[in-house]
């Protein structure tokens, strides 16, 4: 008989992840690519498998030990260590659960000698004609089952259907966790991997830096970096992005994509969190002519994702700018375009090119608070706008 299915070879990258010391395996492009390739092959094989043997990727004469090994190997691929499972997109969760149930049913049948004998007889009855090769295969299978019967009588090779890998529990906890108040358009996944960042400064020219991600999604990534970055700048990044989160370069070891800086957090111990939005495999119009310029993306047309609604309101403010050492850079008079209890959009005339924190003071309202910059852009009137979030106090209406 022809082979009922090919076995799934365990890639070295995944094996290293599962056995790395310290319980916190490091992720490399080769390991991530190897895992997602093998997972895709495994899910396809289980989905297409017409017999329990094909589902487990084994030959019909397989011993009970080989059946168990095939099952546990499949489970280890379906539920990898948390650092890998946390990157699996939500649309794969259901497929993985279906595959696990099919593999478990195959083990329940083939792991029990009486059940396997009945199953094989049923499969044989469904074959109208048998070739000599098929007859030889069945003869070998009968001999192997007789040997397995003797092993079972001695207490050897007992199938434990209750075996549940600890990382499967962690995976299920991740995939079924409670939702929070995250207002992002696409859920981000906690993932720490190295990323090569390339940018341009008007004076210093092109620069490169190695940073680290804190989370990723199909639409963007958050970096942890010591470099000062400005909202609206375009960067080119390369990272070992999970294949299922990519929009291009599915067969490449690394994922290279142009991004725009959408959010820059105040540095903590010299480290900044920088939110990037993916733009695509090619640069935006005008980038090649002026790569140090400030760019804008298409405005979000969906539901308002602000925590507090803003209302159009003009208030005169005093704005003071500080560097990361909390030294005053400069200050100026400004005016709000709109306000909420925890933030504002402020029209300014001479903001410094780089700053980390600002202090907002309204003498007429008796309001004073430090604030962090969330966005900055130039309006149609030629003046810059700063979108800020108050950190010390709320504006009282």
């Amino acid at each position: 008989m022809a082979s009922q299915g090919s076995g799934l070879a365990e890639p070295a990258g995944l094996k290293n992840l599962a056995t790395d010391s310290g319980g916190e395996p490091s992720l490399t492009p080769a390991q991530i690519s190897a895992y997602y390739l093998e997972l895709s092959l495994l899910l396809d094989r289980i989905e297409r498998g017409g017999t329990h043997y094909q589902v487990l990727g084994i030959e019909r004469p397989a011993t009970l030990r080989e059946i168990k090994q095939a099952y546990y190997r499949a489970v280890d691929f379906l539920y990898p260590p948390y650092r890998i499972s946390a990157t699996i997109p939500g649309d794969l969760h259901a497929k993985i659960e279906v595959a696990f149930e099919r593999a478990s049913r195959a083990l329940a049948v083939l792991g029990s000698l009486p059940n396997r004998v009945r199953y094989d007889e049923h499969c044989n009855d469904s074959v109208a004609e048998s070739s000599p090769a098929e007859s030889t295969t069945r003869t070998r299978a009968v001999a192997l089952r007789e040997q397995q019967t003797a092993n079972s009588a001695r207490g050897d090779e007992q199938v434990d259907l209750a075996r549940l890998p600890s990382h499967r529990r962690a995976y299920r906890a991740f995939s079924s966790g409670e939702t929070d108040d995250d207002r992002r358009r696409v859920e981000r996944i906690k993932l720490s991997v190295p990323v090569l960042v390339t940018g341009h400064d008007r004076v210093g020219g092109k620069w490169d830096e190695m940073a680290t991600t804190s989370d990723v999604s199909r639409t963007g990534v958050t970096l942890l970096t010591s470099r000062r970055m400005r909202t609206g700048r375009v960067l080119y990044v390369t990272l070992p992005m999970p294949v299922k989160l990519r929009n291009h370069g599915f067969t490449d070891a690394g994922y290279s994509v142009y991004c725009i800086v959408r959010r820059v957090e105040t540095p903590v111990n010299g480290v900044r969190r920088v939110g990037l939005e993916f733009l695509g495999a090619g640069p935006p119009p005008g980038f090649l002519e002026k790569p140090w310029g400030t760019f804008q993306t298409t405005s979000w047309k969906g539901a308002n994702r602000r925590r507090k609604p803003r209302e159009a309101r003009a208030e005169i403010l005093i704005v003071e700018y500080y560097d990361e050492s909390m030294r005053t850079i400069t200050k100026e008079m400004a005016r709000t375009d709109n306000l909420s209890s925890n933030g504002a959009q402020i029209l300014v005339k001479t903001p410094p090119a780089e700053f980390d924190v600002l202090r907002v003071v309204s003498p007429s309202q008796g309001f004073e608070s430090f604030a962090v910059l969330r966005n900055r852009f130039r309006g149609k009137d030629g003046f810059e706008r700063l979108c800020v979030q108050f950190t010390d106090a709320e504006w009282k209406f």
Side-chain angles (χ1 to χ4, degrees), residues 67-186:
I67 292 171
K68 291 168 57 180
Q69 290 174 344
Y71 171 75
Y72 293 145
R73 186 165 59 247
V75 170
D76 287 339
F77 270 95
L78 294 173
Y79 303 102
Y82 180 77
R83 289 286 297 279
I84 283 287
S85 66
T87 70
I88 297 177
D91 58 356
L92 279 184
H93 294 167
K95 291 184 179 181
I96 288 173
E97 289 300 318
V98 170
F100 173 76
E101 296 301 332
R102 288 203 68 187
S104 297
R105 286 198 299 270
L107 178 65
V109 172
L110 302 183
S112 167
L113 183 60
N115 290 343
R116 184 178 182 183
V117 170
R118 287 193 295 270
Y119 180 74
D120 285 349
E121 289 175 349
H122 173 74
C123 291
N124 291 337
D125 291 342
S126 65
V127 179
E129 295 182 359
S130 300
S131 66
E134 290 172 336
S135 299
T136 301
T137 299
R138 284 199 297 273
T139 300
R140 290 177 57 204
V142 170
L144 287 170
R145 286 199 295 273
E146 291 175 350
Q147 179 181 355
Q148 291 165 2
T149 302
N151 291 340
S152 298
R154 295 195 307 268
D156 298 343
E157 294 190 336
Q158 297 300 311
V159 177
D160 182 10
L161 294 178
R163 178 182 186 269
L164 183 66
S166 59
H167 47 266
R168 181 175 186 244
R169 292 193 294 270
Y171 172 90
R172 279 187 161 176
F174 169 82
S175 62
S176 61
E178 296 180 359
T179 59
D180 56 18
D181 61 349
D182 191 348
R183 299 162 297 119
R184 289 190 175 103
R185 284 170 275 178
V186 178

